[in-house]
């Protein structure tokens, strides 16, 4: 696939950074999808591919389309898009949990797991319809000639049906995650309380491949990892049926991304000649449910709801800021969220270079440990988008500049110290490079 876009005028002024980002994505390209990292993450990840497609649209719209088409081709019959699509050419011991742990084609048979490709059985945040719409808008003529939206729309609609119906475990109109890995912010302190009731799998029953590529002090503890493994084993052994596990949380960012993608799916429907009114209305109902069930006005923050305990998990994490991406968020909620983002808990625009993943004042804050303090490029990209959406252009511009500077100086790190910008985890990371391209590229109407 040789089609390649030249940089826009804005990108040309940062030519070296643009070229480096393109090279990082090229190095991670497999021919049909992009791995997040050749070392630590050698397969296709669901929300990574969505963010990667958003960046690739500026360089190769065809490759961006193929990225999403490859992912959706591994969709299960019940509508779920799995969080990992495994490359059969990668050795089993390169990543854990590996395909032989998930046993998707067997344990997932009742849920319609594909027979010809091995996947995980859990999901990740639903960024995909938003990504598909942005990819289409990058080159509508090419998209129409390839029938891109016609191909992906049925799968995206089934994906949203799955989340809106089978995952509404609390009955309040929001989707629930049944494993911390599903929300994407795997090791966040907001999971500590819901995970505390889970008996961990014994350490001798699994091998942590992640510790071969990252410092133990930066990664989840063995205790937490044992709980992750136990939840995944129980879900697998229950044939991936929803609503039976020990863990179920309504998360703010997961549902905000679902609502944003529902708006995008409405635009896709209109492009294909159908009415999008019902989908826009559904997105606004999701927004209202998010405020009703997860907003704490006294804290000025969205918190996750632990469905087993029935209470909000009152931890300040970046997940609670992501609803800023929603256009129908009430004005008073927007104003309070901006105050929280720029206040002492997150320090955006003042104390830190990028928004941390967790409360700067929190007892569990660690500037380097996975999702317990470091800053991530995808969450900051979403915050920048939300700030612009709600007219906070000066703050958005400062965050955009910090993102670009940190991407370059960290060699497109997986995540960074929020204070210093020092890189942690993998380098040449897929979504960091891709979202750098998006910030550099000429903005396409969304």
């Amino acid at each position: 696939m040789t089609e390649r876009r030249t940089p826009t005028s804005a990108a040309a002024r940062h030519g070296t950074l643009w070229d480096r980002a393109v090279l990082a994505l090229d190095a991670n390209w497999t021919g049909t999808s992009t791995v997040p990292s050749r070392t630590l993450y050698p397969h296709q990840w669901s929300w990574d591919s969505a963010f990667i497609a958003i960046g690739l649209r500026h360089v190769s719209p065809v490759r961006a389309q193929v990225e999403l088409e490859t992912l959706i081709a591994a969709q299960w019959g019940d509508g779920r898009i799995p969080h990992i699509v495994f490359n059969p050419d990668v050795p089993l011991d390169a990543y854990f949990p590996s395909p032989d742990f998930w046993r998707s084609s067997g344990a997932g048979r009742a849920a319609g797991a594909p027979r010809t490709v091995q996947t995980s059985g859990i999901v990740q945040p639903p960024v995909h319809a938003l990504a598909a719409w942005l990819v289409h808008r990058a080159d509508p003529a090419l998209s129409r000639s390839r029938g891109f939206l016609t191909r992906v729309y049925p799968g995206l609609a089934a994906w949203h049906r799955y989340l809106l119906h089978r995952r509404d475990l609390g009955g309040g109109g929001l989707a629930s995650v049944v494993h911390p890995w599903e929300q994407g912010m795997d090791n966040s302190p907001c999971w500590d309380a819901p995970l505390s009731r889970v008996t961990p799998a014994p350490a001798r029953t699994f091998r942590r491949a992640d510790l071969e590529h990252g410092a133990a002090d930066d990664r989840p503890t063995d205790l937490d990892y044992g709980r992750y493994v136990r939840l995944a084993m129980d879900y697998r052994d229950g044939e991936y049926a929803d609503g039976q596990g020990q863990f179920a949380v309504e998360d703010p960012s997961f549902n905000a991304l679902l609502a944003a993608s529902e708006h995008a799916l409405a635009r896709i429907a209109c492009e294909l000649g159908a009415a999008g009114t019902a989908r826009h209305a559904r997105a606004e109902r999701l927004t209202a449910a998010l405020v009703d069930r997860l907003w704490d006005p006294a804290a000025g923050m969205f918190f996750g709801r632990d469905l087993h305990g029935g209470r909000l998990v009152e931890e300040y994490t970046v997940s609670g800021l992501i609803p800023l991406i929603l256009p129908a968020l009430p004005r008073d909620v927007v104003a309070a969220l901006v105050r929280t983002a720029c206040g002492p808990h997150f320090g955006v625009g003042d104390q830190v270079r990028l928004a941390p993943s967790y409360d700067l004042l929190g007892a569990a804050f660690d500037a380097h440990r996975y999702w317990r303090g470091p800053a991530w490029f995808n969450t900051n990209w979403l915050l920048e988008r939300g700030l612009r959406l709600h007219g906070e252009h000066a703050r958005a511009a400062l965050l955009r500049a910090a993102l670009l500077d940190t991407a370059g100086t960290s060699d497109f790190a997986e995540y960074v110290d929020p204070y210093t910008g020092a890189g942690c985890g993998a380098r040449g990371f897929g979504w960091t490079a891709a979202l750098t391209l998006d910030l550099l590229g000429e903005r396409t109407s969304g």
Side-chain angles (χ1 to χ4, degrees), residues 59-412:
V59 179
S60 172
V62 170
R63 210 166 102 190
Q65 292 173 29
V66 170
E67 184 82 39
L68 295 172
E69 290 165 354
T70 300
L71 179 67
I72 293 171
Q75 186 170 24
W76 290 27
D78 64 2
R80 79 182 76 192
I81 293 177
H83 99 295
I84 303 174
V85 180
F86 290 107
N87 181 344
D89 296 329
V90 172
L92 285 178
D93 62 359
Y95 182 81
F96 178 86
S98 50
D100 56 341
F101 173 90
W102 295 103
R103 305 172 199 163
S104 60
S105 58
R109 188 175 303 159
R115 299 287 185 88
T116 57
V117 63
Q118 293 296 307
T119 76
S120 65
I122 60 174
V123 303
Q124 276 190 323
V127 198
H128 311 88
L130 175 61
W133 176 246
L134 293 176
V135 166
H136 165 76
R137 291 293 302 139
D139 193 334
L142 175 70
S143 174
R144 291 170 189 138
S145 70
R146 292 190 71 249
F148 169 62
L149 293 181
T150 301
R151 278 205 295 276
V152 300
Y153 179 80
L156 293 171
W159 169 220
H160 285 208
R161 279 196 302 274
Y162 168 77
L163 293 173
L164 290 164
H165 297 290
R166 300 201 182 201
R167 286 299 188 90
D168 184 8
L169 303 180
L174 297 180
S176 297
V177 295
V178 299
H179 194 292
W181 290 341
E182 292 198 312
Q183 188 260 8
M185 304 176 196
D186 310 356
N187 194 40
S188 171
C190 68
W191 310 129
D192 290 353
L195 278 175
S196 64
R197 57 178 165 263
V198 177
T199 302
R204 65 181 180 276
T205 62
F206 60 91
R207 185 188 66 82
R208 293 187 59 180
D210 63 315
L211 296 181
E212 297 174 10
H213 303 287
D217 287 347
D218 291 353
R219 305 293 298 174
T221 65
D222 285 343
L223 176 61
D224 285 333
Y225 214 90
R227 286 174 169 146
Y228 303 153
V229 172
R230 171 67 67 190
L231 283 174
M233 287 171 57
D234 290 348
Y235 195 37
R236 176 200 67 199
D237 294 345
E239 298 184 325
Y240 298 110
D242 293 313
Q244 301 177 9
Q246 302 176 70
F247 185 98
V249 176
E250 293 173 347
D251 174 73
S253 62
F254 192 98
N255 282 281
L257 289 167
L258 177 57
S261 275
E262 191 67 19
H263 278 302
L265 205 55
R267 296 185 178 101
I268 293 172
C270 290
E271 169 68 22
L272 296 177
T277 309
R279 291 200 176 278
H280 280 305
R282 188 176 296 124
E284 294 189 2
R285 288 197 298 273
L286 273 164
T287 302
L290 194 65
V291 174
D292 180 58
R293 291 182 65 80
L294 306 185
W295 175 245
D296 185 331
M301 191 65 176
F302 285 95
F303 295 125
R305 182 176 294 277
D306 178 5
L307 294 182
H308 286 281
R311 296 181 179 179
L312 294 179
V313 181
E314 296 180 358
E315 294 281 6
Y316 286 77
T317 73
V318 73
S319 174
L321 301 178
I322 301 303
L324 275 172
I325 64 173
L326 297 176
L329 208 60
R331 286 186 180 181
D332 61 323
V333 174
V334 170
L337 272 184
V338 172
R339 286 195 298 272
T340 300
C342 299
H345 293 289
F346 294 97
V348 173
D350 180 22
Q351 301 177 62
V352 296
R353 297 189 75 180
L354 297 178
S357 50
Y358 177 62
D359 187 358
L360 296 171
L361 306 179
F365 176 82
D366 184 328
H368 288 185
R369 192 178 287 277
Y370 210 61
W371 290 108
R372 300 179 86 85
W376 293 71
F377 287 83
N378 65 330
T379 55
N380 277 270
W381 179 87
L382 288 164
L383 285 179
E384 191 270 348
R385 188 178 179 87
L387 288 168
R388 274 191 297 110
L389 174 67
H390 293 290
E392 296 284 345
H393 297 293
R395 287 190 170 101
L398 287 173
L399 187 54
R400 176 184 179 275
L403 276 161
L404 291 174
D405 180 63
T406 306
T409 57
S410 72
D411 194 21
F412 307 109

